[in-house]
Amino acid sequence: MRVGWIDRAAIWMLAAALGGGTGCSTLGFFGDDRGTAPSGRPWSLASDSATPDERTWEELMRAADRFRENRDLERATVGYVKALHRDPKRPLPRIRLAQLQLPKDPESAAAAFRSVLAHHPDSVQANAGLGMASLADGRLQQAHDSFERAAEGAPDSPLILAALAVTHDLLGEPDAAREGLEIARQRRPETPWLLNNLGVSRLLVADWVGAEAALRGALEIEPGDPTALNNLGIALGRQKRYAEAFAVFRDAGDERAALNNLGYVCFLNRSYIEAIGHYERALAAEGDDARVVLSNLNAAIDALEE
């Protein structure tokens, strides 16, 4: 987790589980068949991405999927574009390209998913992708509705159930969120990101002990995961077990991040003097994002003076 306020985007784990790509530059070719490859080099379907290739559509998709699994996103992109050029009516290449686009440009990814849904309204992957893009842009009800449509097509998918649970949490429906997460957990009992999300759900309803148990379970399966560690630090800090919380935050990041996050939980506990002290020590420590720590310090000073 980055130094700073621990926000919604930092504490849930969804994008990787739902198949989104990582690190891909913006692709803008869905409207006019032009775009920019991850290297920054412009291309079009009529040029290098459409060079003659004797492979079948299925072979192109399998090769592109392998490139994506190996994080070779530029070659994956070209492969998906070739598959799209080979058969423009099939939705899967557009879905894959939108998934690659999602981390960097959720708004454009949402437009791409909508273009697929205009012709394939029951597509589980396109509905789930639109839900992720809407969640990234803070459109909670739209995200919920998209995940719900995805769940209609894949009612047994723990990934979709977990995504839907996040929107329930954010919309203030913790019982529905917990029910969905428990069902997902029953179907994938040893899945660390599900346990992380269950811990986050418990944090939102001030069940610090329940959150701690779920997050420790996640870390037993995947020790050292920084997201679960930071969330566990919150659970411990909210119980005022500050020494334990700091040790966990320190395992997750550098000293400045750990002190800043300790200040954050003190702020949440309305212990403003302690929060100010931790933020001041964070500013003196090694690390990045000093401006964020300073902003947090000023917020704590303002809260103390109110």
Side-chain angles (χ1 to χ4, degrees):
M1 189 198 62
R2 295 175 182 173
V3 176
W5 296 110
I6 302 173
D7 59 18
R8 295 185 300 214
I11 54 182
W12 277 285
M13 299 178 180
L14 279 180
L18 286 172
T22 57
C24 187
S25 298
T26 298
L27 304 170
F29 57 83
F30 290 98
D32 61 359
D33 285 343
R34 289 193 60 82
T36 302
S39 64
R41 179 170 53 89
W43 48 263
S44 73
L45 286 178
S47 58
D48 54 318
S49 11
T51 52
D53 196 313
E54 299 301 320
R55 288 175 293 177
T56 66
W57 183 92
E58 290 79 5
E59 290 170 338
L60 288 168
M61 288 298 298
R62 282 196 295 270
D65 285 340
R66 284 194 296 272
F67 286 133
R68 187 177 72 155
E69 289 169 6
N70 293 328
R71 308 285 184 176
D72 190 344
L73 301 183
E74 182 164 356
R75 295 174 77 181
T77 297
V78 172
Y80 292 135
V81 170
K82 285 185 175 184
L84 178 61
H85 182 72
R86 179 65 52 84
D87 190 346
K89 293 183 179 180
R90 295 202 193 190
L92 190 55
R94 291 184 185 272
I95 290 171
R96 289 284 188 266
L97 287 162
Q99 289 171 340
L100 292 179
Q101 190 175 21
L102 179 57
K104 294 289 186 180
D105 189 354
E107 183 177 352
S108 296
F113 289 124
R114 288 193 192 95
S115 75
V116 172
L117 291 168
H119 301 283
H120 305 275
D122 297 326
S123 169
V124 170
Q125 292 191 61
N127 276 305
L130 182 57
M132 284 298 303
S134 301
L135 192 61
D137 278 346
R139 298 191 299 272
L140 302 183
Q141 189 60 55
Q142 183 173 324
H144 172 273
D145 294 346
S146 295
F147 288 136
E148 214 167 45
R149 285 191 291 271
E152 290 172 3
D156 295 325
S157 168
L159 306 182
I160 303 300
L161 288 171
L164 187 56
V166 169
T167 63
H168 280 304
D169 266 331
L170 293 174
L171 290 169
E173 301 165 353
D175 292 338
R178 185 171 189 175
E179 181 182 353
L181 283 170
E182 290 292 357
I183 294 171
R185 185 182 171 195
Q186 289 168 17
R187 291 171 184 164
R188 286 200 178 180
E190 298 299 315
T191 305
W193 64 264
L194 275 175
L195 288 166
N196 174 82
N197 288 6
L198 182 60
V200 172
S201 189
R202 293 296 84 204
L203 285 175
L204 292 176
V205 293
D207 179 6
W208 317 130
V209 174
E212 179 186 351
L215 292 161
R216 289 195 185 280
L219 288 163
E220 285 179 8
I221 302 168
E222 194 170 337
D225 177 79
T227 303
L229 282 168
N230 278 309
N231 290 334
L232 176 58
I234 298 171
L236 294 169
R238 293 295 265 159
Q239 297 175 68
K240 299 187 178 181
R241 292 156 60 185
Y242 293 128
E244 293 174 75
F246 178 73
V248 170
F249 286 139
R250 193 66 182 86
D251 287 340
D254 60 32
E255 187 175 3
R256 175 171 287 169
L259 287 165
N260 180 80
N261 289 339
L262 187 60
Y264 172 76
V265 291
C266 288
F267 184 94
L268 292 178
N269 289 342
R270 299 181 183 275
S271 298
Y272 300 128
I273 294 175
E274 289 84 353
I276 290 168
H278 295 312
Y279 288 139
E280 288 175 340
R281 285 190 288 278
L283 286 171
E286 294 292 327
D288 298 323
D289 294 331
R291 286 181 297 178
V292 175
V293 181
L294 182 60
S295 175
N296 295 345
L297 172 60
N298 290 333
I301 292 171
D302 290 343
L304 182 63
E305 292 175 348
E306 288 180 357

